Amino acid sequence: MMENFIYQAAPMRVLFGAGRLADLNAELDRLGIRRALVLTTPHRLEQGNSISAMIGDRAAGIYSGAAMHTPVEITEQAMQQVKLLSADGVVAVGGGSTIGLGKAIAFRTDLPQIVVPTSYAGSEMTPILGETQDGLKTTRSDLRILPETVIYDVELTRTLPAAFAVTSGINAIAHAVEALYARDGNPVISLMAEEGIRLLASALPRLVNGDNADARDDALRGAWLCGTCLGAVGMSLHHKLCHTLGGTFDLPHAETHTIVLPHAMAYNAPAVPVAASRVARALGASDAGQGLFDLAKGLGAKLALRDIGMPSDGIERAADIAVQNAYWNPRPLERDAIRDLIARAWDGERPKAAG
Ligand code: NAD
């Protein structure tokens, strides 16, 4: 039972719904943006072009070099475009990588951002920016980084390949799982967390079984709620482990989260029985860790870190790094149990059973 808590809402405007991108011009005007720089990844340049055409003379140009983990060299290139084109705002259209670039520009310039997320990663809801330079990732939190406006247009998630929709959706669920046992958690965020997990867990099976408008709507709504959780409270073991594994072995973000989550949940469950039962309830399962594993397995996701590029001799190294930098976790970090967790995730085994 949480007796004392602080709840602080983030000052953002959210527009949600199918076809909502049509409101982009009005939102640019609302923020006084007259020369927007449109951001995409190289693969999504076409989408950048069509958005640029849609906003007409409110577009200053497009920068389509966004890349995973927000490399500082890329941000510097984009910053040159910001200056050259005298951009007075950014429109980031894409997943966490593109949104990261918009945030990196906003951190340096305090320019207003409109974000149009097309995956479920949730970065749009947070004041957090992770950047990489010379192979090192640093993370900072600052209100300048928080987007002013987010437009969730369900139509834009139609093109998500099913396998990426699954891992991106489970990446979102991970934010809500850790929010339910966060040290600075609160009842409002816990409500959002449970509903976010419920929406995604019910939507993802429907999504992989065919094109389904209701499922897409539920999944994006779930991702919004889960992203809000990530922006509002502190994360622990699961996110730190994924950060370590991703950074050390250059593993793909959403797939790493999908594989590690059931194991991190099972590790923490004995210390947080109420949160674990809420996760299980949201999944419609009898056990949180096993239920998360069954969800990922049923959706055909990869279940083993070895299948996404982690070498076997990385297990010991990852266990060392995971316990080196002390951080808060509801269950103390025990080297042997963490090593066991990583070894199971490496092999694709079920998470350790409770009790
Ligand atoms: P991503 O943005 O790298 O997208 C993966 C690929 O999918 C890209 O090529 C992208 O162009 C493509 N894509 C995205 N949406 C698509 C769509 N609707 N249709 C077709 N293709 C599409 O991956 P991601 O998982 O969304 O984001 C991961 C990154 O975000 C990581 O760098 C992670 O650290 C960061 N992140 C940051 C925060 C934060 O709060 N700072 C939160 C979550 C994630």
Side-chain angles (χ1 to χ4, degrees):
M1 169 103 129
M2 284 177 278
E3 287 178 348
N4 298 322
F5 59 86
I6 296 175
Y7 170 69
Q8 184 159 339
M12 313 175 75
R13 179 173 160 87
V14 174
L15 286 77
F16 189 99
R20 209 68 222 231
L21 189 60
D23 290 311
L24 180 56
N25 280 329
E27 292 303 312
L28 286 164
D29 292 347
R30 203 171 174 276
L31 290 170
I33 301 176
R34 286 187 209 90
R35 296 186 57 76
L37 182 65
V38 177
L39 306 173
T40 70
T41 57
H43 285 117
R44 309 294 290 164
L45 173 59
E46 210 177 296
Q47 187 162 48
N49 283 329
S50 75
I51 287 183
S52 176
M54 191 188 122
I55 63 177
D57 59 10
R58 294 176 183 86
I62 303 176
Y63 179 79
S64 63
M68 193 84 130
H69 305 311
T70 327
V72 169
E73 316 83 80
I74 300 280
T75 301
E76 282 164 1
Q77 281 179 20
M79 282 296 298
Q80 283 175 9
Q81 291 297 303
V82 169
K83 288 183 190 130
L84 200 71
L85 300 166
S86 308
D88 61 0
V90 296
V91 174
V93 189
S97 297
T98 310
I99 297 168
L101 176 59
K103 287 171 147 185
I105 294 172
F107 176 65
R108 286 162 175 78
T109 58
D110 206 14
L111 288 180
Q113 305 170 70
I114 298 184
V115 173
V116 186
T118 63
S119 78
Y120 304 135
S123 177
E124 66 281 358
M125 284 292 127
T126 84
I128 306 159
L129 167 65
E131 298 185 284
T132 44
Q133 187 161 30
D134 306 324
L136 237 130
K137 188 161 185 172
T138 47
T139 302
R140 59 165 57 83
S141 182
D142 189 296
L143 263 189
R144 275 174 292 178
I145 294 168
L146 192 73
E148 276 68 13
T149 300
V150 176
I151 301 181
Y152 285 110
D153 187 337
V154 185
E155 290 301 319
L156 302 185
T157 61
R158 264 178 195 275
T159 50
L160 271 178
F164 182 47
V166 165
T167 55
S168 188
I170 296 179
N171 178 196
I173 289 176
H175 311 328
V177 165
E178 292 225 291
L180 279 165
Y181 55 65
R183 179 165 48 167
D184 54 354
N186 63 70
V188 178
I189 289 299
S190 293
L191 281 175
M192 292 191 192
E194 197 171 337
E195 176 65 358
I197 298 170
R198 192 190 66 74
L199 281 166
L200 278 158
S202 89
L204 294 177
R206 287 181 281 140
L207 261 186
V208 298
N209 286 328
D211 190 43
N212 179 324
D214 287 342
R216 272 200 307 277
D217 193 276
D218 284 354
L220 194 59
R221 226 148 25 94
W224 165 42
L225 294 175
C226 293
T228 305
C229 295
L230 177 69
V233 299
M235 299 286 114
S236 39
L237 176 68
H238 169 78
H239 281 74
K240 309 286 177 194
L241 258 184
C242 290
H243 191 101
T244 298
L245 293 166
T248 312
F249 307 108
D250 196 24
L251 307 182
H253 178 82
E255 288 181 306
T256 307
H257 274 266
T258 301
I259 295 168
V260 171
L261 182 62
H263 302 276
M265 178 72 251
Y267 181 91
N268 279 335
V272 289
V274 175
S277 71
R278 291 185 78 167
V279 172
R281 182 168 68 192
L283 294 169
S286 56
D287 175 89
Q290 303 297 321
L292 288 166
F293 184 82
D294 290 335
L295 176 70
K297 190 172 180 193
L299 292 166
K302 287 184 183 152
L303 301 171
L305 291 171
R306 68 169 168 205
D307 291 341
I308 60 166
M310 178 171 161
S312 64
D313 63 4
I315 297 173
E316 297 298 334
R317 202 153 32 116
D320 284 339
I321 303 173
V323 296
Q324 248 166 32
N325 299 326
Y327 49 85
W328 184 86
N329 188 61
R331 175 178 162 189
L333 302 175
E334 298 156 22
R335 168 75 174 61
D336 288 350
I338 298 274
R339 189 218 170 270
D340 181 55
L341 179 173
I342 298 170
R344 281 173 180 270
W346 185 80
D347 222 6
E349 285 175 42
R350 277 195 163 270
K352 201 169 165 83

